[in-house]
Amino acid sequence: MASNLETLVTVFGGSGFLGRNVVRALCRRDYRVRVAVRRPELAGYLQPSGKVGQVHVVQANLRYPASVEAALRDSDVVINLVGILAESGAQTFDAVQAKGAETVAKAAAAADAQLVHVSAIGADAESPSLYAKAKAAGEAAVLAAVPSATIFRPSVMFGPEDQFTNRFAALARMSPVLPLIGGDTRMQPVYVGDVATAIADAVDGKAKAGATYELGGPEVLTMREIIEAILEITARKRMLVPLPFGLARFQANFLQFAPGAFKLTPDQVTLLERDNIVSDAAKAAGLTLEGLGITADSLEAIAPQYLWRFRAAGQFQRMSV
């Protein structure tokens, strides 16, 4: 039986939040991993993810097809994780998540490589959100170029380096009042480690070719319930003030230029108007974490392991408020 060390897996976007978890998962399974990123000099921290020489970082930019083709040369499997939460300069949703996905898919097809593409729950060509439209366009381009590609659509992901739970915990540390946008919007937070496991399983050949999987955690929670859980974990008492979508979108016109945790774009407000949960169709078809044999971890089980740093007295403070 051939060793996984004979299999080269190229991961586009391997230095991001999901990417570093995927790289670790692949290394644990003894794959050779090539990480393709825009700034390879900033991705050196990935080297200890595997054995000496197991992880190799190269430069690539999805807006330049030649760099993508060079990065995946001789690859057996290609994984595209590249995505952005907000547009900046040339890094637009269309350039990165639609045209960029198409560029990777065409290069993978030319190299006759297996392709795994990560999109997002909510991807919809008819969505009013530019982010969701671009995700849908990317999926269509991927399947047009590589019909056997496996697509994963995770719900909002959480984990130690996320921009979700950490963001609200940081805001709660700075402000006695938190604005609540889309308090009744339902989400299915999924642990980033479980998503990485699903992707590694696809590389192993355990996922269905040409299928689209929807990945959600074990619980469906409203936005209010999620923020209340974060406050409970961080032992903070904060007032939640519901903010109508119209007012939130108006404020986002200014907050889109704000730094760090305060940043909020109009498109992100639009996304919050729709539920972000696994569909009944995906459940019926077994195209879920459970369908892959993965038992999902809950927010309550994982988040305390890293959000303790936002408590006033650190890890020694009790969770109850």
Side-chain angles (χ1 to χ4, degrees):
M1 183 175 180
S3 166
N4 284 344
L5 284 172
E6 298 177 11
T7 302
L8 175 60
V9 183
T10 294
V11 184
F12 287 88
S15 63
F17 170 51
L18 174 58
R20 65 192 70 182
N21 286 273
V22 169
V23 170
R24 284 195 290 265
L26 293 172
C27 286
R28 285 195 293 267
R29 303 187 189 200
D30 289 332
Y31 287 104
R32 286 191 296 131
V33 182
R34 180 186 291 159
V35 181
V37 294
R38 286 193 301 152
R39 299 287 299 278
E41 71 276 11
L42 301 180
Y45 61 85
L46 291 171
Q47 299 294 343
S49 300
K51 303 179 182 69
V52 176
Q54 189 177 2
V55 178
H56 180 54
V57 182
V58 299
Q59 197 282 333
N61 187 324
L62 267 57
R63 292 187 290 111
Y64 299 96
S67 74
V68 172
E69 293 167 6
L72 63 71
R73 187 174 296 125
D74 299 323
S75 298
D76 299 290
V77 184
V78 176
I79 302 173
N80 181 26
L81 308 176
V82 181
I84 55 175
L85 296 174
E87 296 179 313
S88 177
Q91 297 294 104
T92 65
F93 292 135
D94 185 61
V96 175
Q97 296 173 172
K99 294 178 181 176
E102 181 179 27
T103 297
V104 172
K106 287 183 175 179
D112 195 26
Q114 176 187 345
L115 178 61
V116 178
H117 177 74
V118 174
S119 181
I121 286 181
D124 181 0
E126 303 301 321
S127 173
S129 163
L130 297 178
Y131 171 91
K133 278 185 177 179
K135 283 292 189 181
E139 289 184 5
V142 163
L143 292 176
V146 186
S148 63
T150 299
I151 294 175
F152 287 112
R153 291 178 171 179
S155 183
V156 59
M157 291 182 285
F158 65 88
E161 305 96 357
D162 71 34
Q163 296 182 41
F164 180 56
T165 59
N166 283 286
R167 176 182 185 179
F168 288 111
L171 287 172
R173 184 166 59 181
M174 294 183 282
S175 172
V177 177
L178 294 180
L180 181 62
I181 305 170
D184 294 326
T185 300
R186 297 182 301 159
M187 296 187 175
Q188 203 165 339
V190 59
Y191 175 46
V192 67
D194 293 332
V195 177
T197 297
I199 293 170
D201 281 352
V203 175
D204 284 346
K206 297 177 182 178
K208 298 177 182 178
T212 298
Y213 287 77
E214 296 186 8
L215 310 181
E219 297 178 305
V220 173
L221 303 169
T222 64
M223 179 60 80
R224 175 183 287 276
E225 290 172 333
I226 292 171
I227 296 178
E228 288 176 342
I230 293 170
L231 292 175
E232 169 72 18
I233 292 168
T234 57
R236 302 274 182 181
K237 289 184 178 180
R238 296 294 183 261
M239 180 183 296
L240 300 182
V241 179
L243 204 62
F245 285 115
L247 180 56
R249 191 172 291 107
F250 174 75
Q251 292 185 348
N253 287 322
F254 304 97
L255 291 176
Q256 62 184 317
F257 305 109
F262 293 99
K263 187 179 183 69
L264 177 69
T265 70
D267 199 71
Q268 289 169 345
V269 174
T270 299
L271 283 171
L272 286 171
E273 294 187 62
R274 294 189 176 186
D275 290 341
N276 195 274
I277 61 177
V278 175
S279 67
D280 291 336
K283 293 177 185 177
L287 300 176
T288 60
L289 285 174
E290 292 75 16
L292 289 168
I294 298 171
T295 301
D297 287 302
S298 68
L299 182 69
E300 182 182 18
I302 299 295
Q305 299 176 29
Y306 62 90
L307 288 184
W308 62 263
R309 65 191 181 94
F310 291 99
R311 299 173 194 159
Q315 62 181 318
F316 301 106
Q317 184 170 344
R318 298 182 66 180
M319 285 173 54
S320 62
V321 296

